[in-house]
């Protein structure tokens, strides 16, 4: 009998899963349906470049439908809720989609309203986020006008998508302001709730050094309690203040609202409790999760979503075949960190191994790890094309494996559990 797989979310993870499963099964074996509220697939890493005039929103958006293989049904609708007991999804337009297997790929939701004052006076005037297409475009206009004062970059708390993006924004802002010949008149500050530049010690030290080299002040352990746009003040819960003329903030992230509306599916933050090795939800054996929607303890990143898709495709096959699941997802993440001046760093890590220096082997030759290089920057730029043409269609990228490789990394890694 034909099985029904319903995928909630037609972003990075949902699209990859639909295409990978379509390649694996004939339409009479498995029906695949994707649901998303709109037909605009944003290449989100491109949002970083919009404020600096390096790309336009139109250049990073494509129709969702066109990214899906023939034989995948696309429903443009808001998902109202999942009924776990009835194995069905309720759409806001009144339709119901029954499933044998459900994949939750609904990402995160920005919650600026959760921080006092953030969306009050000044929002989209001197307080912006580049984490949405509208915010990134509006910020481009504000940055172009900035020629003196205090530019503050801040994220309120983890988890956020792409946790290195605030650092990248600060590095690019330094480069942009120098390019505009106003850097001497603009003080640049990165304000973080962390005790260093990044979560993992070796990378944190490297990145703090780079911030200092570029004259970017780092304010740590700052738990943002209030944004006062009218008076240009960022205020912490322990009453510290950082003044700004222009604030670039990354609001709190929660899981998708439909997770909250679906009894038994999510945790308090709206993320889906998920087995970190198999990606099966803890809610039901026939419900799986991928990407930013999960609560697995690794970065919320497209690279993670890509590596997860490989294991999750195999696990849905195993689930439908009645076999034991593959429990080998290791939390693998890699991220390019733009550092300005046409250079970038690369970090590669997983649940156990922190980002280490060395070299990252690829089919086209090794990329330096934790070291600025033009090659890394070019690879980051090339990634947009790889995203549309290889990642989303579910094609293998030669030389890139879902499992972290220790080859090329320099550090004591005896207990790391990766592959040599
Ligand atoms: C500025 C920025 C820079 C980034 N840079 C990088 C980078 O350099 N490298 C990297 O690896 N990652 C990066 N990321 C992160 C990456 O884009 C995400 O981790 C990735 O897209 C996650 O995929 P996903 O499928 O989990 O979620 P998404 O791609 O966000 O898809 C979720 C989908 O669910 C839909 N949805 C949610 N709720 C509903 C509902 N109720 N009804 C219908 N549809 C719904 C949404 O419309 C959305 O399309 C960046 C992100 C940002 C914002």
């Amino acid at each position: 009998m034909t099985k029904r797989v319903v995928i909630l979310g037609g972003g990075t993870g949902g699209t990859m899963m639909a295409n990978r499963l379509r390649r694996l099964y004939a339409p009479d074996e498995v029906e695949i349906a994707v649901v998303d509220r709109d037909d605009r697939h944003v290449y989100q890493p491109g949002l970083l470049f919009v404020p600096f005039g390096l790309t336009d929103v139109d250049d990073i958006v494509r129709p969702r439908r066109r990214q899906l293989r023939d034989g995948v049904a696309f429903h443009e609708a808001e998902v109202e809720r999942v009924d776990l007991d009835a194995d069905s999804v309720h759409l806001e337009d009144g339709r119901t989609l029954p499933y044998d297997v459900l994949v939750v790929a609904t990402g995160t939701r920005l919650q600026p309203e959760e921080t006092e004052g953030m969306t009050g006076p000044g929002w989209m005037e001197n307080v912006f986020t580049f984490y949405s297409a509208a915010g990134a475009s509006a910020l481009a206009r504000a940055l172009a006008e900035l020629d003196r004062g205090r530019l503050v970059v801040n994220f309120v708390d983890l988890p956020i998508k792409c946790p290195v993006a605030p650092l990248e924004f600060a590095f690019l802002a330094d480069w942009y302001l120098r390019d505009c010949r106003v850097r001497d008149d603009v003080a640049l500050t990165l304000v973080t709730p962390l005790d260093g530049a990044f979560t993992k010690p070796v990378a944190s030290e490297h990145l703090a050094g780079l911030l200092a080299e570029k004259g970017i002040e780092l304010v740590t352990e700052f738990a943002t309690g209030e944004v006062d746009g009218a008076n240009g003040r960022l205020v912490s819960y322990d009453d510290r203040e950082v003044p700004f003329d222009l604030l670039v903030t990354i609001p709190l992230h929660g899981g998708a609202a439909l997770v909250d509306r679906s009894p038994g599916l999510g945790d308090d933050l709206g993320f889906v409790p998920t087995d970190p090795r198999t990606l099966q939800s803890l809610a039901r054996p026939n419900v799986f999760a991928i990407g930013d929607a999960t609560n697995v303890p690794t970065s919320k990143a497209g690279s993670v979503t890509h590596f997860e898709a490989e294991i999750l495709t195999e696990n849905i096959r195993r689930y439908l075949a009645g076999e034991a699941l593959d429990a080998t997802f290791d939390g693998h993440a890699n991220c390019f960190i733009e550092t300005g001046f046409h250079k970038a760093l690369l970090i590669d890590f997983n649940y156990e191994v922190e980002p280490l220096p060395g070299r990252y082997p690829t089919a086209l030759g090794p990329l330096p790890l934790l070291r600025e290089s033009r090659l890394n920057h070019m690879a980051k730029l090339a990634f947009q094309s790889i995203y549309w043409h290889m990642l989303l269609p579910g094609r293998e990228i030669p030389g890139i494996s879902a499992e972290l490789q220790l080859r090329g990394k320099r550090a004591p890694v005896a207990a790391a559990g990766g592959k040599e």
Side-chain angles (χ1 to χ4, degrees):
M1 212 175 87
T2 308
K3 298 290 184 189
R4 292 159 304 191
V5 176
V6 172
I7 299 173
L8 305 184
T12 311
T15 305
M16 277 193 287
M17 285 310 299
N19 290 336
R20 281 173 176 261
L21 290 169
R22 189 68 297 153
R23 280 163 170 262
L24 188 63
Y25 293 106
D28 60 348
E29 288 176 293
V30 174
E31 280 174 13
I32 302 166
V34 173
V35 190
D36 203 298
R37 57 164 68 100
D38 62 38
D39 195 18
R40 283 168 57 81
H41 188 134
V42 180
Y43 173 64
Q44 297 178 46
L47 291 172
L48 173 70
F49 297 108
V50 172
F52 304 104
L54 298 170
T55 191
D56 282 326
V57 167
D58 287 350
D59 295 330
I60 57 169
V61 178
R62 296 189 177 184
R64 293 190 197 282
R65 276 174 221 277
R66 287 221 334 251
Q67 316 313 317
L68 295 167
R69 289 175 74 86
D70 286 349
V72 175
F74 179 67
H75 301 285
E76 190 176 334
E78 179 78 25
V79 178
E80 171 55 30
R81 67 186 167 88
V82 177
D83 185 338
L84 291 170
D85 293 333
D87 290 334
S88 62
V89 174
H90 295 271
L91 306 185
E92 213 179 60
D93 60 18
R95 286 180 290 168
T96 299
L97 303 178
Y99 61 80
D100 296 295
V101 168
L102 181 72
V103 178
V104 184
T106 42
T108 59
R109 149 180 61 141
L110 301 182
Q111 299 176 302
E113 67 288 346
E114 291 289 320
T115 300
E116 189 184 333
M118 190 179 279
T119 55
W123 181 237
M124 293 286 203
E125 287 167 15
N126 61 347
V127 177
F128 297 88
T129 184
F130 62 98
Y131 267 49
S132 68
S137 300
L139 177 56
R141 293 189 284 278
L143 259 187
E145 285 171 13
L146 184 73
D147 57 6
R148 62 186 62 248
R150 288 158 301 203
L151 170 57
V152 173
V153 184
N154 149 264
F155 67 98
V156 177
D157 204 356
L158 291 177
I160 59 169
K161 297 189 254 199
C162 193
V164 296
L167 281 157
E168 292 185 281
F169 189 93
F171 290 137
L172 285 176
D174 168 65
W175 163 75
Y176 176 86
L177 296 167
R178 285 182 201 279
D179 205 48
C180 297
R181 300 181 191 284
V182 296
R183 180 66 175 93
D184 288 345
D185 299 316
V186 180
L188 187 49
T189 307
L190 177 67
V191 179
T192 166
L194 306 176
D195 60 3
F198 192 54
T199 47
K200 322 265 177 169
V202 176
S204 188
E205 206 183 304
H206 269 72
L207 291 161
L210 211 51
L211 288 168
E213 249 174 58
K214 292 174 187 290
I216 302 169
E217 189 194 357
L218 179 64
V219 175
T220 57
E221 294 180 318
F222 191 95
T224 302
E226 184 192 347
V227 174
D228 175 2
N231 297 300
R233 293 181 321 138
L234 195 59
V235 186
S236 69
Y237 281 110
D238 56 0
D239 291 328
R240 290 152 72 199
E241 285 191 14
V242 176
F244 64 81
D245 294 290
L246 181 60
L247 175 68
V248 177
T249 188
I250 292 144
L252 289 171
H253 284 36
L258 84 99
V259 176
D260 296 336
R261 295 191 294 257
S262 305
L265 184 59
D267 62 19
D268 289 349
L269 298 176
F271 296 110
V272 178
T274 304
D275 183 303
R277 298 279 173 190
T278 64
L279 303 173
Q280 187 176 44
S281 81
L282 304 187
R284 290 288 188 281
N286 62 339
V287 176
F288 296 82
I290 185 169
D292 298 348
T294 75
N295 74 337
V296 302
T298 186
S299 279
K300 298 204 178 295
S303 60
V304 172
T305 312
H306 167 212
F307 300 136
E308 287 175 340
E310 205 169 305
I311 281 123
L312 185 52
T313 306
E314 170 61 10
N315 274 344
I316 290 177
R317 186 198 69 71
R318 290 190 186 197
Y319 176 81
L320 288 173
E323 298 170 13
L325 300 187
D326 175 1
T328 59
F329 180 62
D330 66 358
H332 189 192
N334 48 44
C335 305
F336 289 105
I337 306 177
E338 279 291 301
T339 53
F341 302 93
H342 315 291
K343 291 185 181 170
L345 290 170
L346 175 61
I347 56 173
D348 187 51
F349 56 101
N350 71 6
Y351 291 140
E352 285 100 21
V353 181
E354 65 173 306
L356 297 170
R359 292 188 170 272
Y360 182 78
T362 75
L364 299 173
L367 295 172
L369 287 166
L370 265 182
R371 187 160 60 76
E372 285 185 283
S373 86
R374 282 180 182 263
L375 199 58
N376 286 337
H377 167 71
M378 281 155 59
K380 171 128 182 166
L381 294 189
F383 203 75
Q384 181 166 354
S385 176
I386 293 173
Y387 182 82
W388 296 117
H389 299 295
M390 298 182 81
L391 221 79
L392 291 184
R395 300 196 173 96
E396 298 309 320
I397 304 180
I400 305 290
S401 105
E403 191 179 355
L404 180 108
Q405 309 289 306
L406 293 179
R407 191 157 53 92
K409 295 191 171 59
R410 285 199 317 265
V413 288
K419 200 190 223 177
E420 282 286 0

